[in-house]
Amino acid sequence: MSVLVEDYEFWLLDLYLQPIRKLAATGGRITGNVNAQIRWSGETTITETSITSTAWNDYRIQVKRIDLTDPASPMASSLGVFAVTSTKNQDGGSENDTTQQLQFYDLTSFLADSATAQTLTIPAGTDVIAQVQQLCSEVAALQVIVDPDAGMERLRSPLTFEPGTTRLKIVNELLRAGGFFAIYTDSLGRLRCSKYAPPERRPVVYAFKDNALHKRHLPGLAWDEEILRPNEVICHSTSTGDKPGMIAIARNEN
């Protein structure tokens, strides 16, 4: 049976998502959660200090997976493009003993960080995707890709947003009204707008089962369980006149 051999790399990109160089990273992780406000996040630690904390606003980070199963022809695939939001710097006392721990989020974080300064009303009949593209272009150089089968959807009724509403919420409310999923980023850092599809109509992305070539998931399972301890319920009825109230006790012992 073949053994899957892989590695991961962290690359420095410019604001146009063009590669600059590979970062000297000692490890890291990325996490995805479709129920989170910002779907993708992660962190890595680099052993270089050529980029100061505030200068990270001028760069992006790309995480790559390198398939080394066939050493003669390694294959690279992008897992995502991210913006650094915070750093933890540690100076070990020597020139080559300084590290930066980087926290990063996907590029929808720019929409979450931007809010309206006054009440925003989007009238009925507005082209949903055109309005989404305009809102995104006002924040940063974010490329918005729309699925070919999306069609032109227009608002059936106006939408009004109070001052201080984030652009991410406005964009997602627009997309929901037009029958789209919430906005998300693909593996190349582009913002995507896709028509909503019920679960039974969505394609299978990955099947978690063994085969003769690869094993990409852990064989074990982990789960949490709450221990239900015996409890006691005491009920009192209201007294009437000279008749005292009744008392009942129920105790769960098993």
Side-chain angles (χ1 to χ4, degrees):
M1 184 179 75
S2 300
V3 177
L4 177 66
V5 181
E6 58 186 9
D7 194 9
Y8 296 88
E9 296 177 349
F10 292 80
W11 279 75
L12 184 69
L13 310 183
D14 62 20
L15 294 181
Y16 300 99
L17 308 187
Q18 298 302 307
I20 299 175
R21 57 182 169 82
K22 186 172 73 171
L23 290 166
T26 60
R29 65 172 180 82
I30 56 173
T31 302
N33 182 353
V34 295
N35 296 314
Q37 180 189 34
I38 301 172
R39 182 176 294 190
W40 293 98
S41 63
E43 63 182 27
T44 184
T45 299
I46 60 175
T47 56
E48 55 181 270
T49 57
S50 58
I51 303 175
T52 61
S53 296
T54 55
W56 278 107
N57 290 322
D58 298 326
Y59 299 98
R60 304 287 182 260
I61 284 182
Q62 183 180 32
V63 182
K64 291 184 179 182
R65 173 185 171 272
I66 313 298
D67 189 339
L68 300 172
T69 305
D70 182 2
S73 56
M75 300 178 62
S77 58
S78 177
L79 297 180
V81 175
F82 306 90
V84 176
T85 56
S86 66
T87 65
K88 292 182 180 179
N89 307 285
Q90 182 172 349
D91 187 349
S94 62
E95 183 179 355
N96 299 321
D97 193 20
T98 301
T99 61
Q100 269 192 342
Q101 184 179 354
L102 309 177
Q103 181 80 32
F104 49 75
Y105 289 89
D106 72 48
L107 302 189
T108 60
S109 58
F110 288 103
L111 299 176
D113 290 340
S114 176
T116 58
Q118 54 190 3
T119 301
L120 173 64
T121 299
I122 304 175
T126 297
D127 185 325
V128 170
I129 295 299
Q131 186 66 46
V132 167
Q133 291 173 326
Q134 178 182 336
L135 288 166
C136 293
S137 66
E138 293 171 353
V139 178
L142 301 175
Q143 183 182 7
V144 180
I145 305 295
V146 185
D147 286 357
D149 60 348
M152 181 180 293
E153 300 291 342
R154 297 185 179 275
L155 285 181
R156 297 182 180 181
S157 57
L159 293 176
T160 300
F161 301 94
E162 297 294 328
T165 306
T166 67
R167 276 183 167 78
L168 182 58
K169 181 176 181 179
I170 295 172
V171 164
N172 284 335
E173 286 291 328
L174 274 166
L175 292 174
R176 185 182 63 82
F180 291 83
F181 283 110
I183 198 165
Y184 64 97
T185 56
D186 61 16
S187 61
L188 298 178
R190 302 171 299 187
L191 271 62
R192 302 297 300 246
C193 296
S194 302
K195 289 291 289 185
Y196 177 81
E200 63 271 13
R201 290 176 50 197
R202 301 174 194 173
V204 175
V205 177
Y206 184 79
F208 288 92
K209 57 184 179 181
D210 299 337
N211 57 46
L213 297 177
H214 298 153
K215 176 178 267 189
R216 293 172 178 259
H217 63 281
L218 297 176
L221 297 175
W223 61 91
D224 298 331
E225 290 186 0
E226 290 188 8
I227 298 176
L228 300 177
R229 288 178 282 185
N231 53 59
E232 184 176 84
V233 178
I234 301 176
C235 298
H236 293 264
S237 67
T238 304
S239 59
T240 55
D242 57 353
K243 295 182 179 181
M246 295 183 294
I247 300 177
I249 299 176
R251 183 180 294 110
N252 179 9
E253 296 181 340
N254 57 7

